[in-house]
Amino acid sequence: MKVMITGSNGQLGSELRRILQKGVSELGPIPKCFIDAKLDCVDIEDLDITNLSDVSRHVCEFAPQLIINCASYTNVDACETHQDDAFKVNSLGARNMAVGAEMVGARIIYLSTDYVFSGDASSPYREYDRPEPQNVYGATKLAGERFVRDFCSRWFIVRTSWLYGYNGKNFVKTIMRLARERGTIKIVSDQTGNPTNAADLSHHILKIASAGEYGIYHCTGRGTCSWYDFADKIIEYSGIKASVFPCSSDEYQSPVKRPKYSALEHMALRCSVGDEMRKWQDALKYFLERYDGE
Protein backbone atom coordinates (compact mmCIF):
# COMPACT_ATOMS: atom_id res chain seq x y z
CA MET A 1 0.00 0.00 0.00
CA LYS A 2 1.28 3.47 -0.93
CA VAL A 3 0.03 6.14 1.46
CA MET A 4 0.46 9.91 1.21
CA ILE A 5 -0.04 12.03 4.33
CA THR A 6 -0.26 15.82 4.16
CA GLY A 7 0.27 17.89 7.30
CA SER A 8 2.58 15.12 8.44
CA ASN A 9 4.31 17.23 11.12
CA GLY A 10 1.06 18.05 12.92
CA GLN A 11 -0.41 16.14 15.82
CA LEU A 12 -2.58 13.84 13.67
CA GLY A 13 -0.22 13.46 10.71
CA SER A 14 2.72 12.56 12.96
CA GLU A 15 0.62 10.01 14.86
CA LEU A 16 -0.52 8.39 11.62
CA ARG A 17 3.07 8.16 10.45
CA ARG A 18 4.13 6.63 13.77
CA ILE A 19 1.53 3.85 13.80
CA LEU A 20 2.02 3.08 10.10
CA GLN A 21 5.74 2.65 10.75
CA LYS A 22 5.20 0.53 13.88
CA GLY A 23 2.26 -1.49 12.58
CA VAL A 24 0.33 -1.00 15.80
CA SER A 25 -1.51 1.79 17.61
CA GLU A 26 -2.45 2.30 21.24
CA LEU A 27 -5.70 0.46 20.45
CA GLY A 28 -4.06 -2.54 18.78
CA PRO A 29 -2.75 -3.77 15.41
CA ILE A 30 -3.50 -1.68 12.33
CA PRO A 31 -5.21 -3.30 9.29
CA LYS A 32 -2.97 -5.81 7.54
CA CYS A 33 -3.12 -3.94 4.24
CA PHE A 34 -1.02 -1.16 5.81
CA ILE A 35 1.80 -3.36 7.09
CA ASP A 36 5.05 -2.27 5.40
CA ALA A 37 3.21 0.55 3.64
CA LYS A 38 5.31 2.87 1.51
CA LEU A 39 4.83 6.38 2.93
CA ASP A 40 5.04 9.84 1.43
CA CYS A 41 4.80 12.22 4.41
CA VAL A 42 4.72 15.88 3.42
CA ASP A 43 4.18 19.20 5.15
CA ILE A 44 4.23 22.84 4.04
CA GLU A 45 8.00 22.85 3.43
CA ASP A 46 7.65 19.85 1.09
CA LEU A 47 4.43 20.62 -0.78
CA ASP A 48 2.15 23.66 -1.03
CA ILE A 49 -1.28 22.06 -1.25
CA THR A 50 -2.78 25.39 -2.36
CA ASN A 51 -0.87 25.10 -5.66
CA LEU A 52 -2.79 22.76 -7.97
CA SER A 53 0.05 22.21 -10.45
CA ASP A 54 2.50 21.31 -7.67
CA VAL A 55 -0.02 18.94 -6.11
CA SER A 56 -0.79 17.27 -9.43
CA ARG A 57 2.88 16.76 -10.23
CA HIS A 58 3.72 15.42 -6.76
CA VAL A 59 0.76 13.03 -6.61
CA CYS A 60 1.42 11.68 -10.09
CA GLU A 61 5.08 11.05 -9.24
CA PHE A 62 4.31 9.08 -6.05
CA ALA A 63 1.01 7.57 -7.30
CA PRO A 64 -0.49 6.85 -3.86
CA GLN A 65 -3.36 4.44 -3.36
CA LEU A 66 -4.54 6.44 -0.35
CA ILE A 67 -4.21 10.14 0.48
CA ILE A 68 -4.88 11.28 4.06
CA ASN A 69 -5.22 15.06 3.97
CA CYS A 70 -4.43 16.29 7.49
CA ALA A 71 -3.17 19.70 6.35
CA SER A 72 -5.36 22.47 7.74
CA TYR A 73 -5.45 26.10 8.83
CA THR A 74 -6.70 25.42 12.37
CA ASN A 75 -6.19 28.73 14.18
CA VAL A 76 -9.86 29.63 14.63
CA ASP A 77 -9.23 33.25 15.63
CA ALA A 78 -6.72 33.84 12.83
CA CYS A 79 -9.17 32.45 10.25
CA GLU A 80 -11.42 35.46 10.89
CA THR A 81 -8.67 37.96 10.06
CA HIS A 82 -6.88 35.89 7.38
CA GLN A 83 -9.88 34.58 5.48
CA ASP A 84 -8.08 34.18 2.15
CA ASP A 85 -5.37 32.07 3.75
CA ALA A 86 -7.95 29.91 5.54
CA PHE A 87 -9.88 29.39 2.29
CA LYS A 88 -6.73 28.56 0.33
CA VAL A 89 -5.65 25.82 2.75
CA ASN A 90 -8.93 24.43 4.08
CA SER A 91 -10.97 24.69 0.88
CA LEU A 92 -8.78 25.01 -2.23
CA GLY A 93 -6.11 22.77 -0.71
CA ALA A 94 -8.76 20.12 -0.14
CA ARG A 95 -9.94 20.53 -3.74
CA ASN A 96 -6.41 20.19 -5.08
CA MET A 97 -5.73 17.01 -3.13
CA ALA A 98 -9.05 15.58 -4.33
CA VAL A 99 -8.17 16.39 -7.94
CA GLY A 100 -4.80 14.70 -7.47
CA ALA A 101 -6.41 11.63 -5.94
CA GLU A 102 -8.83 11.30 -8.85
CA MET A 103 -5.99 11.58 -11.35
CA VAL A 104 -4.28 8.47 -9.97
CA GLY A 105 -7.38 6.58 -8.84
CA ALA A 106 -6.57 6.98 -5.14
CA ARG A 107 -8.88 7.06 -2.16
CA ILE A 108 -8.83 10.30 -0.17
CA ILE A 109 -9.61 11.03 3.46
CA TYR A 110 -10.33 14.65 4.37
CA LEU A 111 -10.19 15.63 8.03
CA SER A 112 -12.99 18.00 8.98
CA THR A 113 -14.43 19.46 12.16
CA ASP A 114 -17.37 19.74 14.53
CA TYR A 115 -17.33 23.47 13.74
CA VAL A 116 -19.24 22.81 10.50
CA PHE A 117 -22.34 22.75 12.76
CA SER A 118 -24.13 25.72 14.32
CA GLY A 119 -23.90 24.52 17.91
CA ASP A 120 -27.61 25.04 18.56
CA ALA A 121 -28.33 21.35 19.16
CA SER A 122 -29.06 19.68 22.49
CA SER A 123 -27.91 16.18 21.48
CA PRO A 124 -24.89 14.97 19.47
CA TYR A 125 -24.89 15.74 15.75
CA ARG A 126 -25.24 12.81 13.36
CA GLU A 127 -23.44 12.54 10.05
CA TYR A 128 -26.58 13.45 8.09
CA ASP A 129 -27.49 16.55 10.12
CA ARG A 130 -27.41 19.83 8.22
CA PRO A 131 -24.15 21.79 8.57
CA GLU A 132 -24.43 25.48 9.43
CA PRO A 133 -21.02 26.90 10.39
CA GLN A 134 -20.87 30.03 12.52
CA ASN A 135 -17.30 31.12 11.82
CA VAL A 136 -14.77 31.26 8.98
CA TYR A 137 -12.89 28.17 10.13
CA GLY A 138 -16.05 26.05 10.03
CA ALA A 139 -17.16 27.58 6.73
CA THR A 140 -13.86 26.91 4.98
CA LYS A 141 -13.73 23.35 6.28
CA LEU A 142 -17.28 22.75 5.02
CA ALA A 143 -16.29 24.14 1.62
CA GLY A 144 -13.37 21.69 1.69
CA GLU A 145 -15.77 18.82 2.36
CA ARG A 146 -17.87 19.81 -0.64
CA PHE A 147 -14.87 20.14 -2.93
CA VAL A 148 -13.68 16.66 -1.95
CA ARG A 149 -17.09 15.20 -2.75
CA ASP A 150 -17.23 17.08 -6.07
CA PHE A 151 -13.75 16.30 -7.37
CA CYS A 152 -13.00 12.76 -6.19
CA SER A 153 -15.13 9.62 -6.58
CA ARG A 154 -13.46 7.68 -3.73
CA TRP A 155 -13.80 9.88 -0.67
CA PHE A 156 -14.08 9.71 3.08
CA ILE A 157 -14.81 12.74 5.25
CA VAL A 158 -13.88 12.29 8.90
CA ARG A 159 -15.12 14.97 11.29
CA THR A 160 -13.45 15.20 14.67
CA SER A 161 -13.15 17.68 17.54
CA TRP A 162 -10.96 19.01 20.36
CA LEU A 163 -7.95 17.07 19.10
CA TYR A 164 -4.74 16.57 21.08
CA GLY A 165 -1.64 14.47 20.51
CA TYR A 166 2.02 14.07 21.41
CA ASN A 167 3.28 16.36 18.65
CA GLY A 168 2.27 19.97 18.00
CA LYS A 169 0.24 22.53 19.93
CA ASN A 170 -3.08 21.68 21.57
CA PHE A 171 -5.41 22.50 24.46
CA VAL A 172 -3.93 19.88 26.79
CA LYS A 173 -0.41 21.27 26.53
CA THR A 174 -1.63 24.86 26.81
CA ILE A 175 -3.59 24.15 30.00
CA MET A 176 -0.61 22.41 31.58
CA ARG A 177 1.68 25.32 30.72
CA LEU A 178 -0.73 27.98 32.00
CA ALA A 179 -1.40 26.00 35.16
CA ARG A 180 2.30 25.83 35.97
CA GLU A 181 2.87 29.51 35.14
CA ARG A 182 -0.17 31.00 36.86
CA GLY A 183 -1.45 28.50 39.40
CA THR A 184 -5.01 29.65 38.69
CA ILE A 185 -6.84 29.63 35.35
CA LYS A 186 -10.35 30.35 34.08
CA ILE A 187 -11.90 28.25 31.32
CA VAL A 188 -15.28 28.53 29.58
CA SER A 189 -17.91 26.15 30.92
CA ASP A 190 -20.77 26.79 28.47
CA GLN A 191 -19.28 25.17 25.34
CA THR A 192 -19.72 21.40 25.06
CA GLY A 193 -17.94 18.91 22.81
CA ASN A 194 -15.78 15.76 22.65
CA PRO A 195 -12.05 15.70 23.47
CA THR A 196 -10.25 13.40 21.03
CA ASN A 197 -6.91 11.63 21.35
CA ALA A 198 -4.99 11.60 18.05
CA ALA A 199 -4.00 7.97 18.67
CA ASP A 200 -7.64 6.84 18.74
CA LEU A 201 -8.49 8.91 15.68
CA SER A 202 -5.52 7.61 13.69
CA HIS A 203 -6.44 3.99 14.43
CA HIS A 204 -9.98 4.53 13.17
CA ILE A 205 -8.88 6.45 10.08
CA LEU A 206 -6.94 3.39 8.95
CA LYS A 207 -9.89 1.10 9.75
CA ILE A 208 -12.18 3.31 7.68
CA ALA A 209 -9.75 3.50 4.76
CA SER A 210 -9.13 -0.26 4.67
CA ALA A 211 -12.84 -1.09 4.63
CA GLY A 212 -13.55 1.17 1.65
CA GLU A 213 -17.00 2.14 2.89
CA TYR A 214 -17.04 5.67 1.50
CA GLY A 215 -18.90 8.52 3.14
CA ILE A 216 -18.97 10.85 6.14
CA TYR A 217 -17.83 9.69 9.57
CA HIS A 218 -17.81 11.29 13.00
CA CYS A 219 -14.87 10.16 15.10
CA THR A 220 -14.25 11.66 18.55
CA GLY A 221 -13.58 10.61 22.11
CA ARG A 222 -16.62 9.02 23.74
CA GLY A 223 -18.67 11.21 26.02
CA THR A 224 -19.16 14.96 26.22
CA CYS A 225 -17.83 17.70 28.47
CA SER A 226 -17.21 21.44 28.60
CA TRP A 227 -13.83 23.05 28.08
CA TYR A 228 -13.82 23.64 31.84
CA ASP A 229 -14.46 19.93 32.54
CA PHE A 230 -11.69 19.03 30.11
CA ALA A 231 -9.22 21.41 31.76
CA ASP A 232 -10.17 20.19 35.23
CA LYS A 233 -9.33 16.60 34.28
CA ILE A 234 -6.06 17.68 32.67
CA ILE A 235 -4.99 19.24 35.96
CA GLU A 236 -6.21 16.27 37.99
CA TYR A 237 -4.52 13.61 35.85
CA SER A 238 -1.28 15.54 35.37
CA GLY A 239 -0.90 16.18 39.12
CA ILE A 240 -0.15 19.87 38.62
CA LYS A 241 -0.87 21.97 41.70
CA ALA A 242 -3.28 24.52 40.27
CA SER A 243 -6.91 25.61 40.44
CA VAL A 244 -9.36 25.78 37.54
CA PHE A 245 -12.44 28.00 37.66
CA PRO A 246 -15.38 28.16 35.22
CA CYS A 247 -16.38 31.26 33.28
CA SER A 248 -18.91 32.08 30.55
CA SER A 249 -18.16 32.63 26.88
CA ASP A 250 -19.26 36.25 27.32
CA GLU A 251 -16.83 36.69 30.17
CA TYR A 252 -14.02 35.14 28.12
CA GLN A 253 -14.79 37.62 25.31
CA SER A 254 -13.59 35.58 22.36
CA PRO A 255 -13.52 37.54 19.07
CA VAL A 256 -14.92 34.49 17.25
CA LYS A 257 -18.32 32.83 17.65
CA ARG A 258 -17.88 29.20 18.66
CA PRO A 259 -20.53 26.49 18.86
CA LYS A 260 -22.17 26.16 22.27
CA TYR A 261 -22.80 22.47 21.65
CA SER A 262 -20.85 20.60 19.01
CA ALA A 263 -20.73 17.01 20.27
CA LEU A 264 -20.70 14.40 17.51
CA GLU A 265 -22.54 11.06 17.29
CA HIS A 266 -20.66 8.01 15.89
CA MET A 267 -23.49 6.48 13.90
CA ALA A 268 -21.46 5.70 10.77
CA LEU A 269 -18.65 4.06 12.76
CA ARG A 270 -21.06 1.83 14.66
CA CYS A 271 -22.86 0.81 11.49
CA SER A 272 -19.74 0.00 9.47
CA VAL A 273 -16.21 -0.62 10.80
CA GLY A 274 -17.04 -0.52 14.51
CA ASP A 275 -16.53 2.07 17.23
CA GLU A 276 -13.51 1.42 19.45
CA MET A 277 -13.00 5.04 20.51
CA ARG A 278 -12.10 5.25 24.19
CA LYS A 279 -13.97 7.32 26.74
CA TRP A 280 -12.40 10.76 26.60
CA GLN A 281 -11.34 10.54 30.25
CA ASP A 282 -9.56 7.19 29.74
CA ALA A 283 -7.78 8.35 26.58
CA LEU A 284 -6.68 11.58 28.28
CA LYS A 285 -5.33 9.78 31.34
CA TYR A 286 -3.41 7.34 29.14
CA PHE A 287 -1.96 10.24 27.17
CA LEU A 288 -0.81 12.17 30.25
CA GLU A 289 0.83 9.08 31.74
CA ARG A 290 3.04 8.88 28.64
CA TYR A 291 3.50 12.50 27.62
CA ASP A 292 7.09 13.58 28.27
CA GLY A 293 6.37 17.30 28.45
CA GLU A 294 8.18 18.39 25.28
Side-chain angles (χ1 to χ4, degrees):
M1 175 76 75
K2 298 176 71 175
V3 181
M4 179 180 180
I5 302 172
T6 67
S8 62
N9 293 335
Q11 51 192 352
L12 180 60
S14 61
E15 185 66 23
L16 280 164
R17 175 169 51 185
R18 186 183 70 82
I19 69 172
L20 282 164
Q21 291 172 340
K22 292 183 64 176
V24 64
S25 76
E26 291 178 3
L27 300 185
I30 64 175
K32 291 182 180 179
C33 64
F34 292 113
I35 301 299
D36 297 323
K38 183 176 181 181
L39 304 182
D40 181 28
C41 301
V42 298
D43 216 297
I44 183 62
E45 63 272 14
D46 310 300
L47 176 66
D48 179 4
I49 67 167
T50 69
N51 187 307
L52 179 57
S53 61
D54 286 354
V55 168
S56 300
R57 180 170 56 252
H58 189 103
V59 170
C60 287
E61 287 176 357
F62 182 66
Q65 294 160 281
L66 172 66
I67 295 174
I68 308 176
N69 184 13
C70 303
S72 185
Y73 195 116
T74 58
N75 187 322
V76 177
D77 289 355
C79 284
E80 297 293 318
T81 53
H82 297 82
Q83 296 188 17
D84 285 4
D85 292 334
F87 181 73
K88 286 169 64 177
V89 176
N90 295 339
S91 307
L92 297 184
R95 179 203 63 186
N96 296 344
M97 296 309 304
V99 169
E102 189 70 7
M103 290 174 65
V104 297
R107 300 174 178 180
I108 188 167
I109 294 181
Y110 176 64
L111 271 297
S112 193
T113 172
D114 57 326
Y115 278 29
V116 300
F117 294 110
S118 67
D120 296 329
S122 56
S123 60
Y125 286 97
R126 295 184 173 91
E127 289 82 355
Y128 55 72
D129 286 332
R130 182 168 63 90
E132 191 177 357
Q134 300 296 298
N135 54 47
V136 172
Y137 172 63
T140 56
K141 293 299 286 185
L142 179 59
E145 288 188 10
R146 290 170 174 166
F147 279 139
V148 168
R149 296 170 69 172
D150 288 343
F151 288 95
C152 186
S153 56
R154 304 170 183 85
W155 56 266
F156 310 87
I157 291 165
V158 179
R159 295 175 181 147
T160 192
S161 67
W162 300 17
L163 186 66
Y164 63 91
Y166 297 106
N167 193 45
K169 298 178 180 179
N170 57 59
F171 183 77
V172 175
K173 296 178 185 179
T174 298
I175 290 299
M176 293 171 69
R177 175 179 57 81
L178 293 177
R180 292 191 180 103
E181 291 174 357
R182 302 178 183 178
T184 300
I185 53 177
K186 281 188 175 184
I187 304 295
V188 295
S189 59
D190 55 2
Q191 295 175 21
T192 299
N194 316 99
T196 306
N197 189 319
D200 296 47
L201 178 58
S202 297
H203 181 88
H204 283 75
I205 284 172
L206 297 184
K207 283 177 59 177
I208 291 166
S210 66
E213 297 188 29
Y214 303 117
I216 298 174
Y217 291 83
H218 289 174
C219 194
T220 66
R222 287 194 190 181
T224 63
C225 67
S226 69
W227 288 110
Y228 164 76
D229 297 327
F230 191 12
D232 190 53
K233 286 299 182 185
I234 294 167
I235 298 304
E236 177 186 341
Y237 294 158
S238 65
I240 298 172
K241 301 299 181 182
S243 299
V244 185
F245 296 99
C247 69
S248 67
S249 297
D250 290 340
E251 184 179 355
Y252 187 74
Q253 295 182 329
S254 171
V256 180
K257 185 175 181 180
R258 287 172 165 80
K260 290 284 187 176
Y261 187 98
S262 61
L264 302 179
E265 174 67 78
H266 300 178
M267 180 176 285
L269 277 183
R270 289 197 308 273
C271 295
S272 57
V273 300
D275 183 3
E276 300 176 73
M277 295 296 289
R278 291 176 287 187
K279 292 181 180 179
W280 72 264
Q281 299 95 326
D282 295 341
L284 175 64
K285 189 172 185 179
Y286 191 93
F287 171 83
L288 289 172
E289 288 172 351
R290 287 154 182 79
Y291 176 57
D292 60 11
E294 64 177 78

